[in-house]
Amino acid sequence: MPDPFKTAQNKLDEASAILRLDPVAHELLRWPMRELHVALPVRMDNGNTHVFRGFRVQHNDARGPNKGGIRFHPDETIDTIRALAAGMTWKTALLDIPLGGGKGGVICNPKTMSEGELERLSRAWIRQIGRILGPDKDIPAPDVYTTPQIMAWMADEYAFMKGNNEFGVITGKPLALGGSAGRSDATARGGIYCVREAADALGLKLAGASAAIQGYGNAGANAHRLAVKLSEMKVVAVSDTKGGIYNPGGLDYEALRKHKEKTGSVSGFAEASAISNEKLLELDVAVLFPAALEAVITETNASNIRAKIVAELANGPTTPAADAILYNKGIHIIPDLLCNAGGVTVSYFEMVQNASGYYWEEDEVHTRLEKKMKTAFKSVHKTAQQYKVHNRLAAYIVAIGRVAEAMKLRGWY
Ligand code: GLU
């Protein structure tokens, strides 16, 4: 896999050259402004103490407090976190919400940990990282393998540290604990809104059109439900870490949800045949949703991708070499910065509600989200045409321009 942070820097360099960005502004954006690396001693169920490694990277806060998720993953690295923290700076700018970029993580395997171990790890992370967090400083949220329950433990631990409830310090919380209606499916919903815009631009009819989803966590499973509900699409294949399933007639969401709840995986679902992750990516579908981890569409398989639209619900699923191949094949990519930005947008709504103490109805969240996603989609589309570049580069151009403007106004260059 290419070094994720170098890749992120290369994309910044490319967009900066097109924008003729001031060299000082460019240098400021090439590296995170702050990082905290911590050791987290956690008592495991067997009585032993395990020392986990954790991080928080604050990439840039010129437009507002740092914002971004926390990943719990065995393959976590500081370079992935740095790349994703920079990605959050661009994402919040692209959606034009008054926040900067950050990301955190812990090297751990939540799949092999008990609930008690996960709770102790989550509280330990906040005890260490809490000193650089705050509703006006840096606000974490869920990401790969972190959940609303984990956000709840973290919010609780932070409240103990401060001596009062500060719900706005973390988003993606459960509804009963200062969460926002519509946050749990916001990433997928924002992605579907983008797919609708892309289909309009391409003159593609979504009702009855096929989709494949790689990854069946929060984003992937909700994309299945909402692709059917909002756009009458037919989801023919989905996969998770244990394998994939395929039914050209379409997979029933409710039946599959029950199967996954019972068995822990989509694989083995009775009303479908087995398909490998590799084959799923290469299916002849209208929309392909990579919704899991980084670097799944690479130079090895990009030329076999047959989808008309690739909607990146995951962060960084397409490598730069694959990007060029897809672009030359005329495949419409909805880049991660745009496609999965529904999550952080509703996180921002959650912060606004926490600050005011007044909570919105779910349909109000949906209406506001749709407006934000459409506006961002249009600015990317327009910029891609104006500069004759692909959508990803266009998204970077829009975002970097906005962050640079804020840094200029602050007098940073
Ligand atoms: N982890 C999500 C992302 O990558 C959401 C971040 C947030 O809500 O702050 O955009």
Side-chain angles (χ1 to χ4, degrees):
M1 190 165 111
D3 175 340
F5 187 54
K6 278 222 170 64
T7 303
Q9 287 181 319
N10 291 343
K11 286 184 205 147
L12 166 73
D13 296 347
E14 201 181 339
S16 301
I18 295 174
L19 280 171
R20 294 199 172 77
L21 189 67
D22 180 277
V24 177
H26 185 191
E27 182 56 28
L28 269 167
L29 294 173
R30 287 196 98 235
W31 287 91
M33 300 198 75
R34 281 176 294 277
E35 291 184 2
L36 186 57
H37 296 226
V38 294
L40 305 169
V42 174
R43 184 68 53 87
M44 306 305 276
D45 290 348
N46 64 8
N48 295 339
T49 295
H50 186 82
V51 181
F52 292 91
R53 298 282 151 192
F55 320 99
R56 183 72 182 172
V57 174
Q58 299 179 335
H59 176 260
N60 188 285
D61 57 5
R63 287 177 44 88
N66 300 91
K67 182 84 190 87
I70 310 163
R71 294 161 42 112
F72 281 3
H73 198 275
D75 302 328
E76 205 51 83
T77 68
I78 185 64
D79 282 321
T80 313
I81 302 286
R82 283 175 179 149
L84 293 170
M88 290 309 300
T89 302
W90 315 138
K91 214 184 283 187
T92 50
L94 180 62
L95 268 290
D96 206 8
I97 53 185
L99 295 168
K103 195 71 111 187
V106 176
I107 306 169
C108 67
N109 188 355
K111 290 192 173 173
T112 62
M113 293 169 70
S114 71
E115 210 190 6
E117 289 169 343
L118 265 182
E119 176 177 352
R120 292 191 290 279
L121 175 64
S122 304
R123 291 185 185 276
W125 191 87
I126 279 288
R127 281 199 299 276
Q128 281 292 343
I129 307 278
R131 67 197 69 194
I132 62 163
L133 302 179
D136 297 318
K137 282 203 257 181
D138 185 357
I139 307 97
D143 203 292
V144 172
Y145 295 158
T146 51
T147 59
Q149 174 63 75
I150 290 176
M151 302 304 113
W153 289 324
M154 290 183 167
D156 182 64
E157 192 65 27
Y158 191 78
F160 273 115
M161 285 167 71
K162 292 281 165 179
N164 61 305
N165 269 318
E166 280 191 50
F167 280 150
V169 71
I170 199 159
T171 59
K173 301 180 294 294
L175 277 180
L177 213 68
S180 171
R183 175 63 184 86
S184 61
D185 68 8
T187 306
R189 186 174 289 270
I192 301 289
Y193 291 153
C194 288
V195 168
R196 284 173 163 185
E197 294 298 308
D200 268 358
L202 298 173
L204 186 82
K205 194 167 149 272
L206 286 182
S210 56
I213 303 172
Q214 184 257 342
Y216 212 69
N218 174 286
N222 278 310
H224 181 176
R225 183 173 62 81
L226 294 172
V228 177
K229 186 175 162 198
L230 301 181
S231 293
E232 293 166 55
M233 297 189 72
K234 195 170 62 171
V235 176
V236 297
V238 306
S239 66
D240 60 24
T241 46
K242 301 213 176 73
I245 53 172
Y246 176 56
N247 179 344
L251 297 161
D252 181 65
Y253 170 77
E254 224 8 78
L256 183 56
R257 189 187 65 76
K258 286 194 187 122
H259 171 81
K260 174 146 185 166
E261 204 174 76
K262 226 188 317 167
T263 66
S265 168
V266 296
S267 80
F269 183 55
E271 294 154 44
S273 49
I275 186 171
S276 67
N277 253 298
E278 293 73 33
K279 285 269 172 317
L280 178 145
L281 294 170
E282 297 172 7
L283 283 174
D284 187 6
V285 287
V287 187
L288 171 65
F289 292 94
L293 290 172
E294 304 85 59
V296 291
I297 305 179
T298 65
E299 57 192 321
T300 323
N301 62 2
S303 51
N304 301 333
I305 304 284
R306 286 183 286 169
K308 294 186 180 59
I309 297 173
V310 172
E312 295 184 336
L313 286 176
N315 283 316
T318 310
T319 65
D323 240 351
I325 299 171
L326 297 187
Y327 184 57
N328 290 333
K329 283 180 70 155
I331 295 175
H332 185 105
I333 301 185
I334 309 173
D336 50 3
L337 296 185
L338 174 63
C339 192
N340 69 32
V344 73
T345 302
V346 178
S347 273
Y348 163 59
F349 297 162
E350 183 174 333
M351 290 171 63
V352 171
Q353 293 168 81
N354 290 152
S356 69
Y358 181 78
Y359 290 81
W360 310 343
E361 299 291 333
E362 186 162 358
D363 54 356
E364 181 168 359
V365 173
H366 294 168
T367 310
R368 287 178 189 266
L369 173 64
E370 185 167 13
K371 205 164 160 196
K372 277 287 192 199
M373 297 305 299
K374 275 188 177 169
T375 307
F377 186 95
K378 289 205 168 77
S379 61
V380 170
H381 198 63
K382 205 172 106 207
T383 307
Q385 285 169 337
Q386 184 188 342
Y387 287 89
K388 296 191 174 45
V389 294
H390 55 74
N391 290 338
R392 190 182 316 281
L393 196 49
Y396 271 83
I397 290 172
V398 175
I400 291 166
R402 289 180 183 163
V403 180
E405 184 191 358
M407 294 198 302
K408 179 86 189 154
L409 288 166
R410 283 177 182 268
W412 288 3
Y413 73 96

